Amino acid sequence: MKKLLVYLRGYERETILAPLFKMLEALFELFVPLVMAAIIDTGIANKDQGYVVRMCLILIALGIIGLVCSITAQFFAAKAATGFSTKLRHALFAHIQSLSYTEMDRVGTSTLITRMTSDINQVQSGVNLVLRLFLRSPFIVFGAMIMAFTVNVKAAFIFVVTIPLLSLVVFGIMLWTMPMYKKVQSALDKVLGLTRENLTGVRVIRAFNKEEEEWKHFERDNETLTGLQKFVGRISGLMNPVTYVIVNGAIVVLLYMGAIQVDTGILTQGEVVALVNYMSQILVELVKLANLIITVTKAIACGNRVQSVFEMESSLTNGSFLGADKGDADVRKQTEADLAAARRTETVCNHSVQFDHVSLTYAGGGNESLTDIDFIANAGETIGIIGGTGSGKSSVVNLIPRFYDATKGKVLVDGQDVKEYDLETLREKIGVVPQKAVLFAGSIADNLRWGKNDATEEELWKALEISQAKEFVVKKEGGLNSAVAQGGKNLSGGQRQRLTIARALVRKPDVLILDDSASALDFATDAALRKAIREMEGSPIVFIVSQRTSSIQHADKIIVLDDGEAVGMGTHQELLENCPVYQEIYYSQFDKNTAGAGPLKKASLARKEEKRNG
């Protein structure tokens, strides 16, 4: 938690002025009982109405000054706390963005969302309250005790006994509850994770009639969270009644001793009232301090959880290589236009992607997910990757842009190990279309410009034309400016896939990865898409991951995966002759009678097969 306080830099003035004004408010508040004592002992005792009015005006002035100080302190505290949380969120978000897929998989999305939202909100509340009350409350408590000694030394010893007792209760409960709040936040993580899972998978849950089962699962986790919160709440709830008992017991003793001393003439009635007021002030401030400690305890627990994310280091180390055509280190200072010009002058023949006996083991995965993958792809080639579910198809292409790092062997792009590349430079060369088509709220143009910020309308339409999305975009009201809902919910699955493909094509990548990104397209559209990509300028290397043999059968090279191993590599015809795994996949999708048929006949038979099946 201490390490997070660095984000208060820039708010040094606010962090000093907020408690300073709160202490000023407390100082004026400490004078109130003395003024009350003067009103009783002098004004009321002597029936001096003018004196009473003057003292009342002083009370009003003290109240107004205290209010101004309080509002000023609140302003500075809020400014510092919100500024601190803003900087902290920015830093945490940037750090999360720097983490690799390995760390994301290990921590979990729901946990990171909790740290970004709930945990930082708790830390913000803690900082706000500390700036306002951390100095004020102890100042009032010890100030009231000191002021009590100025009134009567013997009576003030009641304060000396009461304050340690109250401190014992307050800090004892704080130490008891602090570890429990960590458990509460962990239980909250589980509930948030389950909620997110249910919301994203609501269609699947309903399709399989699992609402009741998921409800019971949620209810069980929610009850666990509720139970923990109730238990901590009961312990924290002891603080107020116990402190009230101690303070009111002290007031009883104070009134008893005060009555005796008033009777003997040692104390005046006003002084007894002042002492009781000081004891009441201590009670109020200790209740505030108790609430402050509860909030600070939560804030420290949450701050430690946020800090644990900052302490998480990415397993990917950024290289310094900027490309063979980029010159020496001074190229970092080039403008985007210079880099783009340099890329255009790069000769096509230099483009290549090579897997040099690559193996991959996921963190905590145990066995290898990929074993000894070895091939090379040159400019203009289309590489098809096929295999059963869980065979490692996506794992292969995820190694190219360094979403994961190979545990054995090397992945080389243009002859250079990807681990030596500057990540930004490497990923500028690559266009990735993931399995799940993800679009963001905004317009179609906004989504396409994720691929290239400064893309012209002409470039956008060209990408849409290649991705076979132009036809439906033209028909939409507003064209490129038509709205896209969050996640592309207002588009069909095929439309979403085509737009995500267009987004990757806008940047004119050297390497294009289509990770099962045409699964929602019909055979004709899929074929037209592949034809348009083959005819693209720049001759990119295209990787097509698919479970449909029709999508990859015209590839220059097909890699057949089975349980992470390349069990076949070659053209469609070669694999049909000598790869049993490929034969099994192919003949499960096409009748053996179509094996020698031409493309049109195959497409016709495939459509008939689709009609028969549903």
Side-chain angles (χ1 to χ4, degrees):
M1 175 65 188
K2 289 179 183 177
K3 293 179 181 178
L4 299 183
L5 297 180
V6 69
Y7 297 104
L8 275 172
R9 280 181 186 166
Y11 296 96
E12 291 87 351
R13 186 177 60 129
E14 287 78 4
T15 54
I16 293 170
L17 290 176
L20 180 62
F21 276 98
K22 268 296 175 182
M23 287 176 69
L24 281 174
E25 178 202 359
L27 186 63
F28 291 121
E29 199 171 311
L30 287 172
F31 286 115
V32 170
L34 295 180
V35 176
M36 289 295 296
I39 290 172
I40 294 168
D41 292 339
T42 305
I44 295 175
N46 298 329
K47 297 181 181 180
D48 187 345
Q49 291 184 355
Y51 185 81
V52 171
V53 170
R54 287 196 300 275
M55 289 296 104
C56 286
L57 290 174
I58 290 173
L59 281 178
I60 292 170
L62 287 173
I64 291 170
I65 294 170
L67 177 64
V68 170
C69 289
S70 177
I71 292 171
T72 306
Q74 177 59 60
F75 169 77
F76 286 126
K79 185 177 179 182
T82 53
F84 162 79
S85 64
T86 300
K87 290 170 74 173
L88 180 57
R89 278 195 189 91
H90 278 300
L92 184 60
F93 185 80
H95 181 72
I96 290 171
Q97 290 295 318
S98 72
L99 298 178
S100 71
Y101 280 21
T102 302
E103 285 74 44
M104 296 283 192
D105 294 341
R106 187 172 72 248
V107 179
T109 309
S110 59
T111 300
L112 294 174
I113 291 172
T114 306
R115 309 286 165 94
M116 280 284 296
T117 53
S118 174
D119 285 348
I120 290 183
N121 283 343
Q122 288 283 6
V123 175
Q124 178 182 330
S125 298
V127 170
N128 194 336
L129 283 177
V130 165
L131 290 177
R132 289 194 292 121
L133 299 177
F134 189 68
L135 290 180
R136 174 200 155 87
S137 293
F139 183 78
I140 288 274
V141 170
F142 291 104
M145 185 174 69
I146 293 166
M147 295 300 283
F149 272 100
T150 64
V151 175
N152 183 271
V153 174
K154 190 175 180 181
F157 276 105
I158 299 170
F159 290 77
V160 175
V161 175
T162 304
I163 290 171
L165 277 175
L166 289 169
S167 300
L168 186 65
V169 170
V170 169
F171 288 103
I173 290 175
M174 180 190 75
L175 294 172
W176 192 3
T177 56
M178 191 178 290
M180 292 182 185
Y181 281 116
K182 294 180 182 178
K183 292 181 180 178
V184 168
Q185 289 301 118
S186 296
L188 179 62
D189 274 352
K190 288 184 180 178
V191 171
L192 285 172
L194 186 60
T195 304
R196 183 177 178 276
E197 192 176 72
N198 275 267
L199 289 174
T200 53
V202 64
R203 294 184 181 182
V204 178
I205 291 168
R206 289 178 180 174
F208 289 91
N209 196 26
K210 292 287 185 180
E211 292 99 324
E212 189 173 345
E213 189 176 316
E214 288 300 317
W215 168 250
K216 287 177 182 176
H217 189 187
F218 177 81
E219 192 173 23
R220 185 170 63 251
D221 283 4
N222 198 32
E223 285 297 325
T224 302
L225 174 61
T226 305
L228 282 169
Q229 286 179 320
K230 282 182 177 178
F231 184 64
V232 178
R234 288 191 193 103
I235 297 170
S236 300
L238 288 172
M239 194 174 291
N240 281 4
V242 172
T243 52
Y244 270 99
V245 166
I246 294 172
V247 169
N248 281 296
I251 288 174
V252 169
V253 174
L254 190 61
L255 287 172
Y256 176 75
M257 288 182 63
I260 294 172
Q261 291 186 358
V262 167
D263 191 48
T264 55
I266 298 172
L267 279 176
T268 63
Q269 293 173 337
E271 288 172 336
V272 173
V273 170
L275 289 170
V276 171
N277 275 339
Y278 282 129
M279 188 62 76
S280 298
Q281 282 184 349
I282 289 172
L283 172 62
V284 170
E285 289 307 318
L286 280 171
V287 170
K288 286 182 182 177
L289 187 61
N291 292 327
L292 169 66
I293 288 169
I294 290 170
T295 304
V296 168
T297 303
K298 289 181 183 177
I300 290 171
C302 292
N304 289 336
R305 284 156 51 83
V306 173
Q307 181 59 36
S308 69
V309 178
F310 279 114
E311 290 172 357
M312 199 179 296
E313 294 184 5
S314 175
S315 56
L316 297 181
T317 54
N318 195 15
S320 58
F321 184 70
L322 295 170
D325 60 323
K326 302 286 195 297
D328 56 24
D330 291 336
V331 79
R332 287 184 179 275
K333 299 177 182 178
Q334 288 180 329
T335 62
E336 288 186 13
D338 294 332
L339 291 175
R343 286 185 63 190
R344 282 195 294 272
T345 61
E346 192 176 78
T347 55
V348 170
C349 61
N350 287 334
H351 296 334
S352 66
V353 173
Q354 182 180 358
F355 277 60
D356 184 10
H357 299 284
V358 169
S359 297
L360 171 67
T361 303
Y362 288 109
N367 296 329
E368 288 184 337
S369 298
L370 293 175
T371 304
D372 197 33
I373 306 298
D374 189 73
F375 69 90
I376 187 166
N378 294 309
E381 288 187 340
T382 298
I383 309 298
I385 302 176
I386 195 167
T389 302
S391 59
K393 301 186 297 296
S394 295
S395 298
V396 170
V397 292
N398 281 337
L399 294 174
I400 301 171
R402 284 195 77 194
F403 293 153
Y404 295 95
D405 268 341
T407 46
K408 291 179 185 176
K410 291 182 180 180
V411 179
L412 299 99
V413 172
D414 295 348
Q416 189 75 25
D417 190 339
V418 292
K419 293 181 181 179
E420 296 173 5
Y421 266 99
D422 171 70
L423 276 173
E424 188 176 342
T425 303
L426 173 66
R427 290 171 183 172
E428 275 180 359
K429 291 174 168 283
I430 301 166
V432 181
V433 186
Q435 283 179 315
K436 185 179 179 182
V438 177
L439 296 171
F440 300 90
S443 66
I444 290 175
D446 292 337
N447 275 275
L448 295 185
R449 286 195 173 104
W450 274 66
K452 184 182 179 186
N453 287 330
D454 58 348
T456 62
E457 283 200 13
E458 185 182 350
E459 289 175 313
L460 298 183
W461 282 116
K462 182 64 176 176
L464 289 169
E465 185 180 349
I466 296 170
S467 67
Q468 309 303 303
K470 183 176 180 179
E471 183 182 353
F472 80 83
V473 173
V474 168
K475 292 178 182 177
K476 281 187 169 290
E477 186 178 348
L480 285 172
N481 296 317
S482 59
V484 176
Q486 184 180 358
K489 300 296 184 186
N490 59 337
L491 300 169
S492 69
Q495 289 173 339
R496 286 199 295 270
Q497 284 192 338
R498 282 178 279 174
L499 285 180
T500 53
I501 292 168
R503 181 173 60 196
L505 294 174
V506 165
R507 72 194 312 164
K508 298 175 182 174
D510 298 336
V511 180
L512 177 63
I513 297 171
L514 304 176
D515 187 0
D516 204 12
S517 54
S519 57
L521 304 184
D522 58 71
F523 283 97
T525 306
D526 187 16
L529 170 66
R530 285 184 279 108
K531 182 176 182 294
I533 288 173
R534 278 199 304 272
E535 295 171 354
M536 278 178 61
E537 295 177 6
S539 302
I541 304 168
V542 181
F543 286 86
I544 301 177
V545 176
S546 181
Q547 295 186 19
R548 297 196 317 206
T549 52
S550 60
S551 297
I552 62 160
Q553 64 183 3
H554 299 293
D556 299 293
K557 188 183 294 178
I558 299 172
I559 301 168
V560 184
L561 295 177
D562 185 34
D563 197 22
E565 295 185 22
V567 294
M569 197 174 298
T571 63
H572 168 69
Q573 201 59 45
E574 290 170 350
L575 292 171
L576 271 182
E577 292 172 3
N578 56 37
C579 182
V581 175
Y582 187 76
Q583 291 168 3
E584 183 182 349
I585 296 169
Y586 180 75
Y587 291 128
S588 69
Q589 297 173 11
F590 294 99
D591 191 277
K592 285 190 178 183
N593 296 326
T594 68
L600 291 175
K601 186 177 179 182
K602 286 181 181 179
S604 175
L605 288 168
R607 285 195 293 272
K608 288 178 182 178
E609 186 68 25
E610 282 185 347
K611 287 179 181 177
R612 270 203 307 274
N613 293 334

